[in-house]
Every structure is written in C-alpha cells, then in structure tokens.
Amino acid sequence: MARVPAPWRTRRPDGTGFSATEHVCLLRGLDTVFVQRIEAILSAPLPRIDSVDSSALVAADDYQEQDPDAALASFRRGRAQLCASLRKLDATALARCGLRDGLHRMTLEQIVRELLEHDRTHCQEVQELLAE
C-alpha cells in the first residue's frame, strides 16, 4: 500500500473492479476461507468446498471503508501463519481431496495452487489500477 497514493486507495477502476483497499481486504478475508478449506480437507474425508463470491464479501464487510494499512498488516500476519502451516504438510496431506461445489474433486495441492493463482490475479489488477 505504500506505493499507492492515499487518494487512490479507494479509487475503483471503471467496470466492476476493486479499489486497492478492497483488494487488500479481500485477500485478507479469502485467506480465512482458504484456511477453513485446508482444515476441512485435512480433518474429514471429501468435505464439500464451496466457491466464494468475492464481490459479495467486499460489499458485506464494507471493505472500502476499512483501514488499508491495518488490513495489509493483518493479511501479512495471517499469510505468514498459513504458509508456515502449509510447509509442514507432506505429500499424503497434499493429496487429500475436497469436493468443489459438490461437483468435482480437488486435492489440497490444487487448492493451494488456486490460492497462488488468485493472488497473482489481484497483483495484476492492482498494477492495472495504478497504471490508469
């Protein structure tokens, strides 16, 4: 957030994009969802893993009005804990599956890769937002 000028932190791009503040808050919130998914997969056979509507989360928790610096600090702490937990998992744990939206199996490794890809998408969107 240090690279984002204060007036731009709550600026939304044209269309349906999120502001920089909303991106940070959403990443923080979705880490909680991913932790829940990981815990479910590790503790139960083939748990249901439902998709999340990011736009609904942003609106429901009023991310636009939250302190982006506090959200970033919270995200960093939570992500460090999540990464530390993931580093402890062995191949057997990473091969465990959940049932995505009740339709298809996803391994824990695939869930982690989805998290990484999701992060990359948000990074790209923030870069595009700053370029406008």
Side-chain angles (χ1 to χ4, degrees):
M1 290 303 289
R3 291 181 28 213
V4 181
W8 287 28
R9 290 181 174 196
T10 55
R11 184 175 152 264
R12 288 187 179 121
D14 292 334
T16 60
F18 301 124
S19 70
T21 296
E22 289 169 323
H23 278 289
V24 171
C25 291
L26 183 57
L27 288 169
R28 177 196 60 196
L30 287 174
D31 266 11
T32 301
V33 171
F34 276 95
V35 166
Q36 292 167 349
R37 289 173 175 174
I38 292 164
E39 289 173 350
I41 290 171
L42 291 174
S43 63
L46 206 61
R48 183 180 173 100
I49 306 296
D50 292 322
S51 292
V52 173
D53 180 346
S54 296
S55 294
L57 278 180
V58 169
D61 292 338
D62 201 18
Y63 287 163
Q64 186 76 325
E65 299 304 318
Q66 294 187 26
D67 177 346
D69 294 316
L72 181 58
S74 177
F75 168 70
R76 285 180 171 158
R77 284 189 306 275
R79 180 55 66 93
Q81 292 172 345
L82 174 57
C83 290
S85 297
L86 291 173
R87 279 192 288 276
K88 296 175 186 175
L89 300 179
D90 61 16
T92 301
L94 290 170
R96 290 181 61 96
C97 291
L99 193 59
R100 183 55 169 268
D101 295 322
L103 300 174
H104 66 277
R105 291 175 182 261
M106 281 188 80
T107 66
L108 184 49
E109 182 175 358
Q110 289 171 317
I111 295 284
V112 173
R113 289 183 188 282
E114 181 181 59
L115 172 62
L116 178 60
E117 191 58 35
H118 181 261
D119 286 352
R120 287 181 179 144
T121 298
H122 279 280
C123 288
Q124 179 181 352
E125 290 175 2
V126 169
Q127 291 303 318
E128 291 169 356
L129 181 64
L130 292 173
E132 287 187 4

